[in-house]
Amino acid sequence: QVPLAGSRLCLYEDGTELTESYFRALPPQTELVLLGPGQSWRGCASDIERLLAALCSHRDALVEAARKLLTDERAPRRQKLLADLIHNLSENILAEDKEDDKKWFEGLEPRFKNKSSYMRHSCESRMRGYMREVSGFISNVHPAARDAYRGVIDLMADKLRSVKYNGCYFDRREEEEAARLCTVEGWFSCQGPFDRDDCPCKHSINPYSNRESRILFSTWNLDHIIEKKRAVVPELAEAVKTRDGREVNWEYFYQLLFTLENLKLVHIACHKKTTHNLSCDKTKIYRKRKQNHEIS
């Protein structure tokens, strides 16, 4: 019943079309796909696409079927696969308000009415913690420079308050800012260790999806590429001490401490605690003096 004209044989694995000589050279039990006129096959990726389509269109039925299989399954790896499938398909990513996903809010204070408000609060807490570390370093600053150091701290604190402690980075409703770290839907990707441009394990998470993911996301770190404690804060203290009439470029230090210019979101396994051996840019520590030109 297969029309001869236009029919082709392909490898199931990758869709490679077979010639007669290639067919004869194949090992036994090679899986093949017979294509009629106008049909195409791109390898087993096509099966994955159909699986993904089924996951999207028949989610509830798949969850129910997986649960039934899990009750009788004894093989540990298959149990893990089924449990992960159920967990991922049971996500409620698009829900934002507490009334639409009450499980997500279990264990949180009643004042949080939507997911973004809690995520903003979490980010603000991290930024406030960084600010406390900068303020607490004042005991290490030379006594003669402490007033100037306090002045820098006050400027940074005012800047942080004006941008609501950068909470918009973790608010999926603030699309323009949030898109720098994640998609509007709330997916976050590990940006890799400080000495790499990417994450070798391709870690990703959506803390908006379910309670477990929210809790796991709290273990992810915002890693200072130029280290906060070892490099940035000591350099700031030294700059204030040796300014010699120059104006400290506090906005440069602010960027290093509190913004994505020097912060990478990383999975806890990718957060290297070893010394980064990176230092501040000496050309940016002080503001350039404005030159006055006489007009003849």
Side-chain angles (χ1 to χ4, degrees):
Q1 297 177 351
V2 179
L4 295 178
S7 295
R8 304 173 323 282
L9 273 178
C10 295
L11 292 180
Y12 169 78
E13 182 179 6
D14 60 10
T16 300
E17 190 167 330
L18 302 182
T19 61
E20 184 173 353
S21 59
Y22 188 15
F23 175 79
R24 295 182 182 279
L26 292 175
Q29 308 305 321
T30 298
E31 293 184 80
L32 307 175
V33 175
L34 178 62
L35 300 175
Q39 293 181 322
S40 62
W41 180 255
R42 296 189 293 111
C44 56
S46 299
D47 272 356
I48 296 174
E49 286 181 357
R50 285 200 293 272
L51 173 61
L52 292 175
L55 289 175
C56 293
S57 58
H58 304 290
R59 186 181 67 176
D60 293 341
L62 280 167
V63 169
E64 184 62 27
R67 282 178 176 153
K68 289 180 180 178
L69 287 172
L70 189 58
T71 57
D72 298 323
E73 185 57 63
R74 294 294 178 266
R77 288 189 177 182
R78 292 171 65 132
Q79 285 179 335
K80 181 68 167 58
L81 285 172
L82 287 168
D84 286 346
L85 178 64
I86 293 169
H87 172 77
N88 291 326
L89 289 179
S90 300
E91 293 177 341
N92 198 359
I93 293 174
L94 296 180
E96 171 68 13
D97 297 328
K98 188 173 184 177
E99 293 301 317
D100 298 324
D101 193 356
K102 292 182 180 180
K103 288 186 177 180
W104 193 92
F105 291 85
E106 289 179 1
L108 299 181
E109 298 176 31
R111 62 191 174 104
F112 298 114
K113 304 301 181 184
N114 56 60
K115 295 179 180 180
S116 290
S117 66
Y118 173 75
M119 295 300 293
R120 284 197 308 272
H121 167 77
S122 297
C123 182
E124 290 170 10
S125 296
R126 297 192 196 203
M127 296 299 137
R128 290 176 190 272
Y130 298 159
M131 191 72 247
R132 284 193 294 270
E133 290 183 54
V134 179
S135 301
F137 194 80
I138 196 167
S139 60
N140 300 301
V141 178
H142 191 279
R146 287 178 183 173
D147 285 343
Y149 188 83
R150 288 191 187 94
V152 170
I153 291 175
D154 290 341
L155 291 170
M156 289 184 175
D158 288 342
K159 175 71 172 178
L160 270 177
R161 283 191 290 268
S162 71
V163 295
K164 300 179 180 179
Y165 291 88
N166 289 329
C168 59
Y169 288 153
F170 292 89
D171 187 339
R172 58 177 170 178
R173 295 179 303 181
E174 298 282 351
E175 297 183 14
E176 183 176 349
E177 289 293 337
R180 298 181 66 186
L181 277 181
C182 61
T183 66
V184 178
E185 288 77 17
W187 280 101
F188 291 80
S189 296
C190 175
Q191 296 173 304
F194 76 92
D195 56 352
R196 293 177 62 100
D197 293 328
D198 59 348
C199 167
C201 299
K202 306 301 180 185
H203 296 118
S204 64
I205 193 170
N206 191 325
Y208 299 92
S209 60
N210 51 50
R211 179 173 177 268
E212 183 179 345
S213 294
R214 166 177 64 79
I215 294 171
L216 285 175
F217 186 65
S218 66
T219 67
W220 285 44
N221 297 129
L222 279 171
D223 189 17
H224 287 84
I225 304 169
I226 303 175
E227 294 174 280
K228 175 177 78 272
K229 291 182 179 179
R230 293 191 180 103
V232 181
V233 178
E235 187 69 62
L236 173 60
E238 182 65 20
V240 171
K241 173 186 172 185
T242 59
R243 66 188 189 281
D244 191 25
R246 294 170 292 180
E247 183 181 358
V248 175
N249 186 9
W250 66 270
E251 289 180 321
Y252 169 63
F253 290 99
Y254 174 91
Q255 288 179 335
L256 295 181
L257 290 166
F258 304 110
T259 76
L260 299 179
E261 294 294 325
N262 191 46
L263 284 169
K264 294 180 76 172
L265 184 66
V266 294
H267 187 282
I268 189 170
C270 293
H271 189 198
K272 292 187 178 181
K273 299 293 186 179
T274 55
T275 304
H276 293 189
N277 293 321
L278 297 173
S279 58
C280 300
D281 186 342
K282 299 292 185 182
T283 67
K284 297 181 179 180
I285 290 175
Y286 298 102
R287 294 187 187 276
K288 293 182 179 180
R289 293 177 176 175
K290 295 181 180 179
Q291 296 182 354
N292 295 321
H293 300 280
E294 292 184 2
I295 300 176
S296 58

